[in-house]
Amino acid sequence: MIEAIKELVKGFSLTLSQMFTKPITIQYPEQKREPAERYRGLHALRCHPGSGEERCISCCLCARICPSECIRLVTKGEEEKKVIEVYDIDLGHCLFCGLCAEVCPVEAIVLTRKYEAAYYRREETVLHKRDLLGNGEGL
């Protein structure tokens, strides 16, 4: 009985001490948190800064190395000058491991620090080429 009262007093004292400290809650979405330096967020396709031309050379290494097979690439053209028609990433299956970004020889695909990825339907979790290019603006 005495032990229970001791534990109860300890709990009340901890609660009382926390009542007078400054809260650490941020007011999302008005305030955004800064993710860690090595955070791996949403994917982005990058373009060349001067010309705006896509960096991707259609080597398909990212799709081959992906452990969850969530990257789908469709290319057209000859071996020397291939162009990407379809570049889709299914975030519902993605592990965010970063292997696709590491293997890319021209650093065309990167993982950004964007973390807002809430979707209402499963179809929305697939990022298409235009979405990936939009994520890469300013990188």
Side-chain angles (χ1 to χ4, degrees):
M1 178 82 172
I2 301 275
E3 290 295 321
I5 294 174
K6 271 185 172 177
E7 295 299 320
L8 192 61
V9 169
K10 277 173 73 177
F12 283 142
S13 64
L14 180 64
T15 302
L16 189 62
S17 69
Q18 291 298 313
M19 286 179 62
F20 301 108
T21 60
K22 185 177 177 186
I24 57 172
T25 305
I26 61 170
Q27 298 301 314
Y28 183 82
E30 291 82 23
Q31 297 174 339
K32 308 263 189 204
R33 70 173 178 86
E34 186 66 28
E37 188 65 35
R38 295 180 54 133
Y39 178 76
R40 295 187 297 242
L42 291 177
H43 302 75
L45 278 176
R46 297 174 57 198
C47 296
H48 289 289
S51 63
E53 184 181 340
E54 297 173 13
R55 285 189 181 200
C56 186
I57 57 173
S58 306
C59 63
C60 301
L61 287 175
C62 54
R64 282 189 229 138
I65 200 162
C66 182
S68 61
E69 299 177 351
C70 65
I71 300 175
R72 185 173 78 95
L73 281 167
V74 177
T75 60
K76 70 174 181 178
E78 295 88 36
E79 191 65 34
E80 294 144 11
K81 187 64 178 165
K82 284 200 239 177
V83 179
I84 299 174
E85 283 188 334
V86 176
Y87 197 116
D88 294 341
I89 298 179
D90 188 354
L91 296 180
H93 292 205
C94 184
L95 302 173
F96 294 93
C97 63
L99 290 175
C100 56
E102 289 179 24
V103 77
C104 185
V106 293
E107 297 179 357
I109 186 164
V110 293
L111 293 172
T112 65
R113 297 177 65 169
K114 296 179 182 177
Y115 55 85
E116 294 174 326
Y119 306 102
Y120 290 106
R121 294 190 318 266
R122 179 165 275 188
E123 298 84 35
E124 295 173 349
T125 63
V126 177
L127 293 181
H128 301 288
K129 182 179 173 182
R130 66 180 177 279
D131 304 324
L132 294 167
L133 288 170
N135 284 347
E137 290 176 359
L139 294 178

